[in-house]
Amino acid sequence: DFATMLGCEPFSIMTVLLPVGISFYSFQSMSYAIDVWRGTAPPVKNFATFACYVALFPQLVAGPIVRYNTVAEELETRTHTLENFVRGIGFFCFGFVEKIFLANQVGIIADRVFAADAPGVINSWWGSLAYMFQIYFDFSAYSNMAIGLGLMLGFHFPRNFNGPYRSVSITDFWKRWHISLTSWFRDYLYIPLGGNRVPTGRMYFNLFLVMFVSGVWHGANWTFVCWGLYHAFFMIVERANNKNAWYYKAPKVLQILFTQVIVLFGWVLFRADSIGDAVRMWKNMLGLGATAASDVILSAEIFTPTCVVFMALAGLFSFWKYRSYDWCIEVSFKKSLFALALFVLATLALFTQSYNPFLYFQF
């Protein structure tokens, strides 16, 4: 009755009322139930097939979120080819390299800055930028490794990232970041609530609700809730401007720069332990906060030649128009040797690092 009152499908309101329960009743299980109920996917013929889908280990923990209707046929029968297996190895190798050589390295900088009492302006920006790179390469690495494992097993998983730090608006950012999650909320929550086929005020409410649920999904902390609402604000403002950012007439380079500054301040909120910590970091970034005497020591730790090199590499591959996903679409002997060589180097580097799990394992 409550769903009818809001004018939406029962499953969409279930997603609203049980955002925390999503972690228990997984996206996979919900996708199956909704797809079968809508008639867009056939029901499974046996429990083993359903169990295989829910427990599909390459994407079980952090994604990409694979909907039942996209792999329904492959759960029943798959075609295994040497080309797909080699492509899968390429995806896995590049994901592994992203994790070891980029995410873990810049993560050291981010951890030191966010653990500091009162970092100065330069150190605050450097550490926030490091976390911006860390969360991208950490999650992109996991997604590529999952896609690779899926290909080795005969499954085709969807692309999960498409150069999000090259986006020209927050709306564009969410078309490129964690694509499987964004499309899941769009198709199973936003559109059933009416999407943009409703009065303007209701459409803004739908955007607000989707981003609110997205924030809560990441964790039971006010920082995640406010992070979701932070992005909701900019998405509503852009929707009111025909999906354009207020700076859309600026040169593309400036559009990308302005967008990533907004994203960067949002990541500070996402990374902070509390709202107070996020505000303090923002003040330090703007030069409005106090700077501890130990900031000089912090600078010496995070501006070493090694740190600068890895930050430069992270920045290059973040904004470079060529993506590892595109590189792995077609395989060749030279590409395979290159990927395996990088994998060997990353494996050797792994033994020099401490335990460093994927960030999205906590969500």
Side-chain angles (χ1 to χ4, degrees):
D1 293 339
F2 186 47
T4 303
M5 180 180 67
L6 287 179
C8 60
E9 296 178 4
F11 279 110
S12 67
I13 198 61
M14 178 180 68
T15 309
V16 176
L17 296 178
L18 301 177
V20 178
I22 290 175
S23 60
F24 301 99
Y25 186 52
S26 69
F27 277 111
Q28 284 74 28
S29 301
M30 293 181 68
S31 173
Y32 170 77
I34 297 173
D35 288 343
V36 172
W37 177 72
R38 288 177 172 176
T40 58
V44 295
K45 298 178 180 179
N46 57 75
F47 180 75
T49 301
F50 175 74
C52 177
Y53 167 66
V54 174
L56 199 56
F57 77 91
Q59 50 83 55
L60 181 63
V61 179
I65 298 170
V66 179
R67 305 184 195 183
Y68 174 69
N69 58 17
T70 63
V71 294
E73 294 183 3
E74 291 180 335
L75 286 169
E76 297 292 341
T77 177
R78 295 176 298 284
T79 301
H80 300 275
T81 65
L82 178 61
E83 180 181 1
N84 279 342
F85 190 84
V86 174
R87 285 178 59 212
I89 292 176
F91 274 110
F92 186 89
C93 288
F94 273 100
F96 187 71
V97 169
E98 281 182 288
K99 171 63 176 172
I100 301 301
F101 282 141
L102 295 176
N104 287 359
Q105 296 297 332
V106 298
I108 296 173
I109 300 173
D111 290 342
R112 287 175 177 172
V113 172
F114 277 88
D117 293 331
V121 176
I122 296 177
N123 289 346
S124 297
W125 278 92
W126 190 247
S128 300
L129 190 63
Y131 182 70
M132 181 179 178
F133 292 148
Q134 180 193 12
I135 194 169
Y136 169 51
F137 285 111
D138 194 278
F139 196 17
S140 175
Y142 186 95
S143 296
N144 283 336
M145 293 172 73
I147 291 172
L149 288 172
L151 279 172
M152 294 182 209
L153 299 174
F155 292 97
H156 293 77
F157 293 163
R159 183 174 191 160
N160 211 27
F161 291 90
N162 186 18
Y165 293 158
R166 290 175 54 85
S167 53
V168 296
S169 66
I170 297 300
T171 302
D172 186 31
F173 173 80
W174 279 104
K175 292 179 180 178
R176 297 166 176 262
W177 176 272
H178 203 346
I179 300 171
S180 60
L181 177 66
T182 304
S183 60
W184 201 99
F185 278 127
R186 179 197 65 206
D187 295 340
Y188 292 127
L189 179 57
Y190 180 71
I191 292 178
L193 286 170
N196 55 6
R197 306 182 310 275
V198 293
T200 303
R202 175 58 186 269
M203 178 182 64
Y204 294 158
F205 172 76
N206 292 344
L207 282 172
F208 167 85
L209 194 59
V210 169
M211 295 311 300
F212 169 77
V213 173
S214 176
V216 174
W217 177 78
H218 283 88
N221 192 322
W222 281 111
T223 55
F224 297 126
V225 174
C226 292
W227 172 79
L229 299 182
Y230 173 86
H231 278 271
F233 169 79
F234 288 102
M235 291 187 70
I236 291 173
V237 169
E238 292 178 1
R239 184 57 63 94
N241 195 31
N242 197 26
K243 295 186 179 180
N244 294 316
W246 58 268
Y247 43 82
Y248 77 99
K249 293 184 179 180
K252 186 174 181 179
V253 174
L254 292 181
Q255 292 183 51
I256 294 175
L257 177 62
F258 293 152
T259 300
Q260 300 322 314
V261 169
I262 294 173
V263 171
L264 176 65
F265 274 80
W267 284 137
V268 170
L269 182 59
F270 192 88
R271 172 62 173 78
D273 294 328
S274 66
I275 302 297
D277 289 342
V279 172
R280 280 190 290 272
M281 181 63 78
W282 286 339
K283 291 173 65 176
N284 290 337
M285 293 171 69
L286 297 175
L288 302 176
T291 301
S294 59
D295 192 55
V296 176
I297 299 176
L298 178 63
S299 297
E301 293 177 339
I302 63 177
F303 280 99
T304 63
T306 301
C307 290
V308 172
V309 168
F310 281 115
M311 284 289 285
L313 288 174
L316 173 64
F317 290 113
S318 292
F319 298 105
W320 200 20
K321 66 178 180 179
Y322 297 108
R323 316 250 56 89
S324 58
Y325 184 96
D326 300 320
W327 197 86
C328 294
I329 291 298
E330 296 182 1
V331 297
S332 67
F333 181 72
K334 292 182 179 179
K335 283 186 177 181
S336 300
L337 285 180
F338 181 65
L340 288 175
L342 288 178
F343 179 76
V344 171
L345 291 175
T347 303
L348 294 175
L350 177 64
F351 290 104
T352 67
Q353 299 180 5
S354 59
Y355 177 63
N356 203 327
F358 289 96
L359 292 178
Y360 260 70
F361 279 13
Q362 63 184 294
F363 304 128

